[in-house]
Every structure is written in structure tokens, then in C-alpha cells.
């Protein structure tokens, strides 16, 4: 088999000639196929302990933060750089990522490179286009196609960052191409209409379209504040755009362990 989705489908037809829904079989096997270029294939495997495996052709490049590569073929060449200059590198450092980015380029034929999630959860693909940028939590960036721009995103109001639980500094990814995000726990996606709002507890916002707006709202009632266990503030996200909610924020998991 050549590793393509068509080859896997053919194997499944031979093994399961009485089953019609091959997509459900592949889903049950924990493999998801994502085309990020016309002739390059990526796979997300591992279920709740996911790993992203990509097969770039000669000359094609994937970018990631320092230390994110898990394994690769010997023909993948690494190049470490500032990813757009010192100011952008410094901004990524403030946002919780590494100062430098690593670029991995396939040489002399097709390569293989894998990026594993650092915590149990999900890896999700997001196609970035002009006007369809995405804002992500600190350390939510896993890997991206070369040509995308990863920069710092400041909350416009201090209160949103300090009390909303998502951090004063987040990250913005712009340009044109595919980016892969790391989500803590299960990921639930919502498509908000213009003016539609969702209210989230601290740390549960993983990512949102740049067209969305984020604010905070205080928990009303003294009894609710002191006895409800939900803290003083909630995060309020308003559409239009996509919102990605995570079920197991790392800060919540750390509190449970402690």
C-alpha cells in the first residue's frame, strides 16, 4: 500500500466486503486523513493520546515550536530561525511558546515527520485564509505549513486577560495554509452567528476565530461567588465565528492532581 486514503479503503474493502461505511471503520481505528497540500498527506492517530504524522514531498516544509518533533525520517532537514524577526520571536516567548521556530524540509524525496501532543487531548486542523485567522491559547500551537505567520495577540482590555482565565497574551495565526492545534481533553466546536454568545469557565477557551470577540462577566450574587465554586468571573465569547472549547484545561487538571 502507498499510504494514501485510497489504499486504506481498498484494504478495508477486502477485509470488510460486507460493510458499506468505511469512514466509520477508519474513525473507529483512530485514523484521520487530512490533505494539507495536493500531494502531501497527514494522519492524526492515537485517539486521546494523539500524534500528527506528515509526509512532505521534496522541498516542502513544516514549522513547529522548539522541541515539538517526536520522530522523523533521516532526509528531513532542520533549520532553526526566529520565524519573522526578533520582535515576533519575543512576542511568541511572552505568549508561552519558544523564542525560535524549527523548520523541517524534506530532501531527496518524500519525508516523514511526527509531532505528538504533550498532554491527553486532541489535535485539530484549521485552515487559515485571509480574513479567517485564528486566536489560540498559549501553547496551543503544534505545527503549521510554512508561509503562515505566528504572532502575539494582546487582549485589548487588561481585565479580559487577568480575570478571564485565558491569559493577557494569546497567539494569532494569519496567512494562508493549514495549522494544527493542540487541545487539552475533548474538543467541542461551536459555530456562533453574529451576536450569538457562549459563556465559558476559566481556561476552557482553546481557540476562536479572529472575527469573534471575547470579554468577561462577573458571577452575580454573593452566595454564588463564595459557595458556587465557579470563581469570580466567566469568559464570554461573541460571534460571528468558530469557538473551540476544551474539556480538560491543564490548569484544572493540575488543581485536581494537587
Amino acid at each position: 500500500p502507498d499510504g494514501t486514503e485510497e489504499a486504506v479503503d481498498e484494504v478495508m474493502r477486502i477485509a470488510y466486503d460486507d460493510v458499506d461505511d468505511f469512514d466509520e471503520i477508519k474513525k473507529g481505528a483512530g485514523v484521520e486523513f487530512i490533505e494539507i497540500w495536493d500531494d502531501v498527506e497527514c494522519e492524526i492517530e492515537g485517539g486521546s493520546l494523539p500524534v500528527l504524522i506528515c509526509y512532505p514531498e521534496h522541498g516542502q516544509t513544516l514549522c513547529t515550536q522548539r522541541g515539538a518533533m517526536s520522530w522523523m525520517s533521516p532526509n528531513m532537514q532542520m533549520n532553526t530561525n526566529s520565524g519573522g524577526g526578533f520582535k515576533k520571536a519575543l512576542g511568541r516567548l511572552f505568549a508561552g511558546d519558544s523564542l525560535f521556530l524549527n523548520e523541517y524540509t524534506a530532501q531527496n524525496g518524500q519525508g516523514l515527520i511526527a509531532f505528538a501532543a504533550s498532554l491527553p487531548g486532541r489535535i485539530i486542523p484549521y485552515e487559515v485564509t485571509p480574513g479567517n485567522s485564528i486566536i489560540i491559547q498559549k501553547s496551543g500551537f503544534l505545527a503549521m505549513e510554512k508561509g503562515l505567520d505566528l504572532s502575539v495577540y494582546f487582549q485589548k482590555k487588561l481585565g479580559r486577560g487577568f480575570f478571564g482565565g485565558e491569559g493577557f497574551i494569546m497567539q494569532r495565526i494569519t496567512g494562508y495554509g493549514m495549522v494544527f492545534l493542540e487541545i487539552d481533553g475533548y474538543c467541542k466546536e461551536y459555530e456562533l452567528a453574529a451576536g450569538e454568545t457562549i459563556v465559558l469557565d476559566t481556561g476552557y477557551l482553546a481557540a476562536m476565530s479572529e472575527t469573534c470577540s471575547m470579554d468577561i462577566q462577573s458571577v452575580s450574587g454573593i452566595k454564588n461567588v463564595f459557595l458556587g465554586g465557579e470563581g469570580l468571573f466567566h469568559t464570554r465569547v461573541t460571534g460571528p465565528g468558530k469557538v473551540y472549547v476544551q474539556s480538560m484545561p491543564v490548569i484544572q487538571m493540575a488543581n485536581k492532581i494537587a
Side-chain angles (χ1 to χ4, degrees), residues 21-227:
D21 196 347
F22 298 106
D23 289 336
E24 286 301 315
I25 300 173
K26 288 185 291 184
K27 182 178 179 181
V31 180
E32 181 180 355
F33 292 86
I34 301 136
E35 296 286 343
I36 61 174
W37 295 291
D38 289 339
D39 54 356
V40 174
E41 183 181 273
C42 286
E43 302 169 353
I44 298 175
E45 302 181 15
S48 60
L49 300 170
V51 59
L52 169 68
I53 305 175
C54 298
Y55 304 91
E57 296 292 341
H58 171 75
Q60 293 178 320
T61 302
L62 283 167
C63 304
T64 186
Q65 62 179 333
R66 181 173 61 91
M69 190 278 296
S70 300
W71 64 87
M72 65 182 182
S73 58
N75 66 324
M76 296 297 297
Q77 182 178 21
M78 186 180 80
N79 175 44
T80 302
N81 58 62
S82 62
F86 178 74
K87 289 184 178 179
K88 288 186 177 180
L90 191 62
R92 289 195 302 272
L93 184 65
F94 282 129
D97 256 326
S98 56
L99 186 64
F100 297 97
L101 291 179
N102 289 339
E103 295 181 353
Y104 294 92
T105 304
Q107 302 289 331
N108 302 317
Q110 188 184 61
L112 177 151
I113 186 165
F115 310 97
S118 56
L119 291 170
R122 287 195 62 193
I123 295 173
I124 62 169
Y126 185 91
E127 186 175 6
V128 179
T129 58
N132 189 36
S133 303
I134 189 168
I135 308 300
I136 63 175
Q137 65 175 342
K138 293 187 297 183
S139 303
F141 164 66
L142 181 64
M144 67 183 181
E145 181 179 351
K146 185 177 181 180
L148 289 173
D149 183 55
L150 175 66
S151 59
V152 65
Y153 174 79
F154 290 94
Q155 300 294 344
K156 294 181 180 180
K157 293 183 179 179
L158 286 174
R160 296 176 186 175
F162 289 126
F163 301 119
E166 316 311 327
F168 175 57
I169 302 175
M170 299 178 75
Q171 294 176 310
R172 176 196 285 119
I173 300 176
T174 58
Y176 188 89
M178 188 71 73
V179 62
F180 294 91
L181 309 178
E182 203 176 336
I183 306 295
D184 301 333
Y186 175 74
C187 178
K188 178 63 177 178
E189 177 183 341
Y190 292 95
E191 183 76 41
L192 300 183
E196 186 179 3
T197 298
I198 187 169
V199 179
L200 308 171
D201 197 5
T202 298
Y204 283 85
L205 176 63
M208 66 181 184
S209 302
E210 193 172 15
T211 52
C212 292
S213 61
M214 188 179 82
D215 211 333
I216 63 168
Q217 68 178 37
S218 59
V219 176
S220 60
I222 295 178
K223 184 174 66 174
N224 293 336
V225 171
F226 289 102
L227 303 179

